[in-house]
């Protein structure tokens, strides 16, 4: 299987968000990609400029950051042509890798704008930024420039052109390849699984993830019997509930359970909105130290107290 590291550059409405086309807030203007074989050797490259059709002049931030000017974009080809060519170049046996999560989403959003067929379900890919973050923990997400510097990769090319960023992402992956990252794949949440049968259960060395199918309303999702199921990330046995699920904020539930063999585990349920406007849940179960159990318990008590106070004041 090949790895395809790709990077996109996009433009946005030059006259401000109130004039943007909501179906395509970010219009792709360049695709750059590097193909690695299963031994992480670079075997091919792809690069194309896309002629914009929605926002024909560049937003000033984009022009500044990318050092592009409109004359370059005029040399581009239509999105559908480039996208089809890119897909063909990818071949049949590959997995995508990108720096961060947004390129996968924007590619699908642009494809959908032109009524091109997308996968219709969450796509499995490698988020190289997240894999790097796990190897070199930092409080926030790391910029590609910093990762390149951290790994002492020579900086011979400028950043912020699609092909150069794709190359740098490939070099980062080559350096990380010694760390056995293969089970650290992730899914993009642009599409929700279509039905219960297509729901995704994935098991990784340090967490398990369950992606539910889409529901028309959050309330149906919460009432679904699979929603609160709480199983060990390693052995899949039902966990002994230590802290029952509670709503940590509008978009997130938390809970704690314990496996006799694999210790304390935190459950996080996050609600996501699919491209079709349905709500679905991403549930993650991951091991935690005992000290974190107390922190979560205190959080639950604190929220309960706040709610009581609110009621008293009304
Ligand atoms: Zn277990």
């Amino acid at each position: 299987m090949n790895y395809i590291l790709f990077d996109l550059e996009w433009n946005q409405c030059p006259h401000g968000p109130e004039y943007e086309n909501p179906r395509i807030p970010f219009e792709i203007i360049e695709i750059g990609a590097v193909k690695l074989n299963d031994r992480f050797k670079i075997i091919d490259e792809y690069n194309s400029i896309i002629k914009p059709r929605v926002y024909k002049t560049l937003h000033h931030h984009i022009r500044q950051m990318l050092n592009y000017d409109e004359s370059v974009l005029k040399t581009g080809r239509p999105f559908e042509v480039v996208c089809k060519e890119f897909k063909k170049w990818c071949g049949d046996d590959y997995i995508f890798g990108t720096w961060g999560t947004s390129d996968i989403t924007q590619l699908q959003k642009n494809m959908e704008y032109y009524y091109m067929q997308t996968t219709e379900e969450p796509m499995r890919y490698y988020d190289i930024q997240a894999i790097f973050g796990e190897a070199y923990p930092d409080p926030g997400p790391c910029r590609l420039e910093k990762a390149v510097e951290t790994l002492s990769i020579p900086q011979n090319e400028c950043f912020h052109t699609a092909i150069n960023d794709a190359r740098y992402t490939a070099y980062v992956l080559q350096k990380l390849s010694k760390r056995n990252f293969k089970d650290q794949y992730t899914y993009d949440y642009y599409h929700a699984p279509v039905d219960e049968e297509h729901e995704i259960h994935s098991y990784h060395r340090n967490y398990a993830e369950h992606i539910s199918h889409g529901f028309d309303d959050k309330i149906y999702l919460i009432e679904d019997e699979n929603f609160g199921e709480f199983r060990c990330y390693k052995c899949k046995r039902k966990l002994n509930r230590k802290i029952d699920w509670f709503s940590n904020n509008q978009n997130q539930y938390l809970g704690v359970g314990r496996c006799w063999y694999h210790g304390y585990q935190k459950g996080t349920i996050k609600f996501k909105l699919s491209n079709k406007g349905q709500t679905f849940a991403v549930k993650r179960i991951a091991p935690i130290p005992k000290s974190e159990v107390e922190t979560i318990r205190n959080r639950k008590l604190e929220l309960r107290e706040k709610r009581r106070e609110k009621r008293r004041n009304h």
Side-chain angles (χ1 to χ4, degrees):
M1 188 183 60
N2 294 328
Y3 298 89
I4 291 181
L5 289 311
F6 78 88
D7 185 70
L8 307 171
E9 303 302 340
W10 54 68
N11 186 22
Q12 64 197 75
C13 183
H15 314 297
E18 62 272 35
Y19 297 104
E20 77 182 15
N21 182 331
R23 285 192 60 227
I24 184 166
F26 302 102
E27 184 176 25
I28 297 172
I29 50 174
E30 189 183 2
I31 300 180
V34 172
K35 197 183 274 179
L36 304 185
N37 66 13
D38 57 0
R39 292 194 306 271
F40 304 101
K41 192 174 172 277
I42 295 179
I43 50 173
D44 205 1
E45 285 192 350
Y46 179 87
N47 191 206
S48 277
I49 297 281
I50 291 158
K51 191 176 188 168
R53 256 176 291 176
V54 185
Y55 311 121
K56 289 180 186 159
T57 49
L58 288 169
H59 187 279
H60 63 279
H61 280 155
I62 306 281
R63 189 181 295 129
Q64 241 170 30
M65 188 178 77
L66 300 181
N67 297 312
Y68 270 54
D69 72 55
E70 274 80 357
S71 64
V72 176
L73 297 182
K74 285 202 181 100
T75 67
R77 292 173 298 152
F79 178 80
E80 297 102 306
V81 173
V82 171
C83 192
K84 267 186 204 145
E85 184 185 79
F86 173 57
K87 244 187 123 193
K88 201 171 160 204
W89 175 84
C90 288
D92 298 321
D93 192 21
Y94 68 89
I95 185 163
F96 278 140
T98 56
W99 189 261
T101 59
S102 41
D103 294 78
I104 293 265
T105 305
Q106 293 313 329
L107 182 63
Q108 295 181 88
K109 234 180 148 63
N110 277 250
M111 284 172 78
E112 222 158 62
Y113 178 78
Y114 290 108
Y115 302 101
M116 297 177 76
Q117 208 186 347
T118 58
T119 55
E120 294 292 324
E121 57 184 349
M123 199 195 290
R124 186 194 277 214
Y125 73 106
Y126 286 109
D127 175 357
I128 313 300
Q129 186 184 45
I131 296 170
F132 177 84
E134 190 141 315
Y136 300 89
D138 217 22
C142 179
R143 286 158 55 88
L144 182 57
E145 287 93 321
K146 204 182 153 205
V148 165
E149 202 183 302
T150 306
L151 296 171
S152 313
I153 294 166
Q155 299 180 36
N156 302 326
E157 299 148 304
C158 66
F159 286 88
H160 303 307
T161 79
I163 186 63
N164 288 356
D165 286 5
R167 278 186 199 132
Y168 280 126
T169 308
Y171 302 150
V172 171
L173 185 68
Q174 284 177 328
K175 293 266 185 185
L176 293 173
S177 64
K178 293 170 194 83
R179 292 180 168 263
N180 186 22
F181 67 89
K182 293 214 172 149
D183 79 324
Q184 301 303 90
Y185 58 82
T186 179
Y187 288 90
D188 93 284
Y189 306 128
Y190 186 62
H191 297 279
V194 286
D195 53 30
E196 207 175 324
E197 214 176 293
H198 288 85
E199 290 193 350
I200 292 169
H201 294 267
S202 64
Y203 295 90
H204 310 259
R205 96 190 69 145
N206 48 2
Y207 72 94
E209 190 175 78
H210 174 200
I211 308 175
S212 83
H213 69 284
F215 290 77
D216 291 334
D217 196 307
K218 198 157 108 178
I219 197 76
Y220 301 124
L221 173 56
I222 293 169
E223 283 166 2
D224 189 78
E225 58 180 289
N226 289 327
F227 175 77
E229 198 175 59
F230 207 176
R231 287 177 181 276
C232 175
Y233 78 106
K234 235 183 180 131
C235 66
K236 305 177 192 172
R237 284 188 186 87
K238 264 197 177 161
L239 293 175
N240 199 345
R241 300 276 176 112
K242 291 295 169 191
I243 302 172
D244 251 326
W245 294 110
F246 66 96
S247 161
N248 185 36
N249 59 45
Q250 262 210 321
N251 265 318
Q252 190 192 56
Y253 273 65
L254 288 181
V256 175
R258 188 185 184 190
C259 170
W260 185 258
Y261 302 98
H262 302 109
Y264 289 101
Q265 295 170 36
K266 172 163 105 168
T268 316
I269 295 171
K270 281 186 185 163
F271 299 108
K272 306 269 178 192
L273 203 60
S274 79
N275 64 323
K276 297 203 171 76
Q278 288 190 310
T279 302
F280 62 109
V282 176
K283 180 163 62 189
R284 268 193 189 218
I285 314 279
I288 49 166
K290 200 176 172 202
S291 58
E292 208 182 320
V293 180
E294 269 327 288
T295 315
I296 297 170
R297 200 187 308 276
N298 289 338
R299 172 74 183 153
K300 188 175 183 175
L301 293 174
E302 181 197 330
L303 285 172
R304 189 184 293 165
E305 198 46 49
K306 264 190 195 157
R307 237 170 280 137
R308 275 199 195 127
E309 195 133 312
K310 231 181 183 174
R311 242 173 277 144
R312 247 179 264 133
N313 294 338
H314 272 288

